[in-house]
Structure formats: structure tokens, C-alpha cells
Amino acid sequence: MSDQRICIVGVGESDFTGNTPDYSALDLQAQASFNALRDAGLERAQVDGLFTQCGGRMPAISFAEYLGIRPRFVDSTFVGGASNVMHLDLAAAAIRAGLCEFALVNYGATPRQGEYVTLQPEYADDFDRPFGTCFPVGHYAMCARRHMHQYGTRREQFAKLVVESRRWAALNPRAMRRELVTIDDVLESPPVVAPLHRLDACLVSDAGGAFVVTTESRARDLPCKPVYFLGAGQAYTHRSTALMGDITTSGAAGSVKCALRNAGIALDDIDVFEIYDAFSSQLLIMLEDVGLCAKGEGGEFVASTDFGPGGDVALNTSGGGLSYLHPGMFGIFLIIEAVRQLRGTCGERQIPDARTALVQGNGGVFYSEVTAVLATEGTAL
């Protein structure tokens, strides 16, 4: 039914980001949630579905109490940085099933204050920690080194993605790293775990994000411009890097194909790509798995492609996790930026006539891959 099409009707970030010693993660979650509800023209009492994966042992219930709401449906499934992209898919299913009408999806963390989601030791750690591997940078460094060995990828090709992210961040007033850098700046920054250096890694920042989901029929009564959720795909391939198999490949190839099939469009139809970028090397691998180039050709593809403003491919237009912000998990901010691009409200960094966006969430070290396709009203089927 046309009226059952699912829309995102509000987005918001926390008032404060970066280093926020005066605010807890719950504070930042609440700020973002109120901003998203204000954007949607809704009151908090209208929220009857809540999706969040942070805030203690019972995160959704804890945050509902903190916000002062009583939802009739909650979900707090945690799959790493892809969680909030997955929550969009779950919220859509819950709304279609009549379990809720207005779903609030949110996230907040203060890793700069030492407050973050704590992962308890699990069986997977038995295969990694005894050998001194640090999570996650050590794991991603291994993936990068293997990609270099297997396909001849060069460090400067990873570094170019950092340079491109700064070009976008320079146009984003809220980005933490707005100063432009060169490939040499990235290569000469302090090493962390070879071949990755400091500027190859995402930011560590305090922040919160939120968005609101409902049906097209309800969106008609709201003041905001709805963005349509066309479809999603999910892939869960492993938990231990030691048991990963080919460490140069993620499950994104499967999740993207599923999402595009469900959305009824092709990859060539996508105007904006918001792809998780915890590390420059990870982003290069994701470009291959999303399908923008063939496996093993990521290095040359990056070297020959302009991903910045006015370039060949609109990629991570907020500046991404490498230059905008990264509060432990970045998935929700990919959705927020995609919605703003499709609304046409991004100012200097706006992609002209953006009608479709692909969001690629990533959890752990390619543990979970969740893809969502969004579109403007005229493009939605």
C-alpha cells in the first residue's frame, strides 16, 4: 500500500560534540532525540517505538525512562557500528506490523570521557588477544597489510581518502577536523599500527544522533520533508578476525545486492554514498565490496577518482568518521547526513539534485554489514 511506505521525518544531533566533560552519553542522546523530534514536528509523548543500543544493561528501557516516554515497542540489538542502520530496517518492520507508529532511533556516547559501550570478553578474544592484537586498529591494520600484499595497494591510496574527507569537512561547520591535508601529511603523521597512521584513523569524539521513522500517511501531517526508506540488506559473516577467511573482503557485497533488490534500483542510480569509514583502509575495501569497483582494484580506483565536492563520486559528504566525528559508532550519522542531502539542506556541501542515497553501516571488523537505500518522494516507488 502506498500509505505504508516508510519515511524518515526528523533527524538531529546533540547540541554539543567533540569533548563534552559536562555531559553524559544519556545527555547527548536526549539532546539529539529532542532535536530530531523538533525537526519532525512531534512531541516526545507521540513516540511509541524506541530503538537504541547504548545506555546500560537495558538500554532502551533506561533511555525511555530518562527521556520520560513509555514506548509500547523497543529494541536494543547491538551489532556494532551498523546497529542504527539495522534499527532503521527493524523500525520499518515494526511500524508495518502495527507494533508502533512513531519510532525514535538514537545513539550517544562519550568515549573522550572514558564512557563507552563495554564489550565483555568473549570466545573470539581467545583467538586474538593472546597474540597482542589490539582492537580494532590492529585488526584493520592486518586487513590493510593483506590487501597491499595481495593486490599491490599502496599507502598513499589509503591516504587519499583522508584528503577527500577533509575537503568535505571543510564545508561542514560542525566537523572536528576542517583543515585541509595532503597525502604526505597523512603518510607522515605518527604511526599507530603499520601500515595505518594517526590520520588514517577515525576521530574519537563525544556525540549523539537520532532520527524518527513513520509511515507516509502520518508524514503528510508533519511539517518536514520526508525521506523515503526503499529497502535494506543485512549480512553477518563472522565474529573473530582469526576465523574471517579472506580478511580483504566484507559481507557488504551481499548486503548491498539485497538492499538494491529490495529498493528496486541499481547501483548506478545512487547519487550519494555514505559509507562507514573508521579507517582509510577499511573505506577502500568497502568501496570494492559495495560494487563501485572490482575486488582488488580499489587502490587504482581511489587514485583515479575524485570523491570530493564537485567530483566523480559523492562520498561521505559530512566529512565522515575520518574528519567529521566518530563517537565509537558512526552508523546513525551516515543516515542523518543522507537524509539532509536528500532534503537539500546541506548548504555548501549539498549535492545538486540528490535523489537517492546508499548508506553502508559496518560493525566490528567487518563482522556486520547493513545497507539502506533512501530516496526523495519523487524517486520512491
Side-chain angles (χ1 to χ4, degrees):
M1 293 175 56
S2 174
D3 284 355
Q4 282 298 97
R5 294 195 299 178
I6 301 298
C7 307
I8 297 175
V9 295
V11 296
E13 298 143 309
S14 53
D15 298 328
F16 304 97
T17 61
N19 185 20
T20 63
D22 296 328
Y23 298 95
S24 70
L26 283 172
D27 290 331
L28 300 182
Q29 269 185 279
Q31 291 172 13
S33 297
F34 281 125
N35 288 336
L37 290 169
R38 187 178 303 113
D39 185 47
L42 295 169
E43 300 295 330
R44 59 179 165 173
Q46 293 174 269
V47 175
D48 58 353
L50 179 61
F51 298 76
T52 186
Q53 78 278 24
C54 56
R57 295 182 63 184
M58 297 183 182
I61 298 173
S62 297
F63 183 74
E65 181 175 72
Y66 189 84
L67 196 66
I69 61 175
R70 292 188 175 184
R72 57 192 178 99
F73 186 84
V74 300
D75 186 273
S76 54
T77 303
F78 175 71
V79 292
S83 297
N84 292 132
V85 186
M86 181 199 63
H87 288 159
L88 171 57
D89 200 15
L90 293 183
I95 291 169
R96 290 190 181 108
L99 300 176
C100 59
E101 295 183 355
F102 293 100
L104 173 66
V105 182
N106 64 26
Y107 172 73
T110 54
R112 290 182 71 94
Q113 317 311 319
E115 183 181 37
Y116 181 50
V117 175
T118 300
L119 298 177
Q120 298 298 322
E122 301 177 39
Y123 84 92
D125 299 307
D126 295 340
F127 299 95
D128 302 329
R129 290 188 182 180
F131 300 96
T133 305
C134 54
F135 178 88
V137 62
H139 297 245
Y140 275 115
M142 286 194 298
C143 297
R145 181 65 79 188
R146 180 63 187 179
H147 201 281
M148 294 171 72
H149 169 78
Q150 193 161 319
Y151 299 114
T153 315
R154 303 185 302 277
R155 278 193 59 220
E156 56 265 32
Q157 294 166 337
F158 297 141
K160 183 173 181 287
L161 290 168
V162 182
V163 174
E164 306 283 40
S165 77
R166 293 298 183 90
R167 293 172 61 199
W168 284 113
L171 304 179
N172 184 354
R174 302 205 71 187
M176 289 183 65
R177 288 178 179 163
R178 300 187 67 196
E179 67 281 4
L180 298 177
V181 295
T182 65
I183 288 176
D184 285 341
D185 290 332
V186 180
L187 298 180
E188 293 168 7
S189 64
V192 181
V193 180
L196 301 179
H197 286 221
R198 180 182 293 172
L199 294 184
D200 288 297
C202 63
L203 295 152
V204 178
S205 49
D206 305 334
F211 60 88
V212 183
V213 187
T214 191
T215 59
E216 180 183 35
S217 59
R218 298 185 186 103
R220 294 195 189 109
D221 298 325
L222 302 177
C224 57
K225 179 181 179 180
V227 168
Y228 288 76
F229 169 58
L230 300 192
Q234 304 184 32
Y236 305 97
T237 53
H238 61 284
R239 175 59 181 84
S240 168
T241 307
L243 301 178
M244 187 175 171
D246 181 358
I247 64 172
T248 70
T249 301
S250 74
S255 66
V256 168
K257 288 178 182 177
C258 181
L260 292 172
R261 182 175 64 249
N262 290 336
I265 64 175
L267 191 68
D268 290 343
D269 297 322
I270 300 297
D271 297 320
V272 182
F273 292 86
E274 304 293 343
I275 300 176
Y276 207 113
D277 59 338
F279 298 92
S280 61
S281 57
Q282 176 226 356
L283 179 56
L284 185 146
I285 290 172
M286 297 296 291
L287 293 175
E288 296 176 342
D289 295 344
V290 164
L292 288 170
C293 62
K295 176 55 63 179
E297 296 179 3
E300 293 305 316
F301 176 66
V302 167
S304 62
T305 303
D306 185 346
F307 297 100
D312 306 311
V313 178
L315 175 67
N316 294 351
T317 53
S318 67
L322 291 170
S323 296
Y324 166 39
L325 55 75
H326 194 292
M329 289 181 279
F330 191 61
I332 200 161
F333 299 97
L334 298 170
I335 291 175
I336 291 170
E337 178 67 10
V339 168
R340 288 175 173 161
Q341 285 289 343
L342 297 179
R343 285 180 172 180
T345 60
C346 285
E348 286 187 274
R349 67 181 192 278
Q350 180 63 48
I351 304 301
D353 301 318
R355 297 179 300 170
T356 57
L358 184 143
V359 173
Q360 183 62 43
N362 170 84
V365 185
F366 303 127
Y367 302 161
S368 55
E369 302 296 337
V370 184
T371 311
V373 179
L374 306 179
T376 59
E377 181 175 7
T379 308
L381 300 176

